[in-house]
Amino acid sequence: MLSGGLWVITVGTTLGMIAGYKGGKLDTAIMFTSDTVMMLPGLPLLILVVTILQPKSPIVLGFILSLTGWAGLARAIRSEILSLREANYVEASRIMGLDTGHILKNDLLPNIMPYVLINLVNSMKGMIFASMGLYFLGVLPFTNLNWGIMLNNAYQQSGALYTWEAAHWLLAPMLTVMILAFGLVMFAQGCDRLFNPRVRARHEKRTTTEESNTEDSPTVMESNY
């Protein structure tokens, strides 16, 4: 989950920001590559690769599952950067002679960080669902430490679809995945409040207003008394 999500976010965000900011032939080359990757059949490609490699390490598996996931994010990030690269603060940084890396990191990245975090969460959820599906199909090496194997055993051996006595073997991994996905969404919302400048400024303003009202309330009460 972590290796696949971080790979998608790192590659997609980096290439999308470079393509949107630099433009020209570099933009054309990156977008042509991403469009080509997006046209690849995802599920057949994954089944073929994991059948050949038979990865046992979860880090390697996450990398394989995210081979084509960065392409769509790169195009979306490029669109965001195209609308931000002509902003006044970005133009001021260019006039000051700051290098491209500094502008991308300090001027553009904070403005798209909430969108990046949401895509990180979606990518991590996608890694979970994809790995569970491949384990359920029996493509990946057998292991007892996977929810996909639990679902496979519940379906084929326990008859969980036909009897309530064995339904818990089917419901337990499904409920666990739902709780994990909900936790990832809450994590993304918390990071949005941390990294989004507008949300952070609004939160600080509200906190300052509440503190000032708390300090002024005793004075008002004494005056009324």
Side-chain angles (χ1 to χ4, degrees), residues 11-185:
V11 176
T13 302
T14 302
L15 294 180
M17 291 179 65
I18 293 175
Y21 181 75
K22 299 297 289 186
K25 295 182 179 180
L26 182 60
D27 179 21
T28 303
I30 293 176
M31 289 300 101
F32 176 79
T33 304
S34 64
D35 292 341
T36 303
V37 173
M38 291 174 63
M39 293 301 295
L40 296 176
L43 182 59
L45 178 62
L46 288 179
I47 294 177
L48 177 62
V49 173
V50 298
T51 301
I52 295 175
L53 298 180
Q54 290 291 299
K56 296 182 179 180
S57 172
I59 299 177
V60 177
L61 177 59
F63 174 77
I64 294 174
L65 295 177
S66 61
L67 285 177
T68 60
W70 60 268
L73 178 61
R75 177 164 286 279
I77 293 295
R78 171 184 176 271
S79 301
E80 296 289 332
I81 297 300
L82 286 175
S83 62
L84 292 174
R85 67 178 183 179
E86 303 299 333
N88 294 332
Y89 56 90
V90 178
E91 186 67 25
S93 298
R94 282 197 292 262
I95 294 175
M96 293 172 60
L98 300 177
D99 57 13
T100 302
H102 183 278
I103 295 175
L104 293 178
K105 179 181 178 181
N106 296 282
D107 293 336
L108 296 176
L109 183 59
N111 288 278
I112 62 171
M113 184 60 70
Y115 183 78
V116 171
L117 291 173
I118 291 296
N119 280 274
L120 173 62
V121 171
N122 291 332
S123 299
M124 294 169 72
K125 291 192 299 181
M127 298 301 108
I128 299 173
F129 298 151
S131 63
M132 287 180 60
L134 294 177
Y135 275 112
F136 180 83
L137 295 175
V139 178
L140 290 170
F142 180 83
T143 175
N144 290 324
L145 304 177
N146 188 272
W147 294 323
I149 298 297
M150 294 179 62
L151 292 174
N152 187 296
N153 292 335
Y155 172 70
Q156 294 188 356
Q157 301 179 12
S158 302
L161 292 178
Y162 310 104
T163 174
W164 280 107
E165 286 75 9
H168 61 279
W169 292 107
L170 189 65
L171 297 177
M174 295 173 60
L175 181 62
T176 307
V177 171
M178 292 174 58
I179 295 175
L180 178 59
F182 178 75
L184 291 175
V185 172

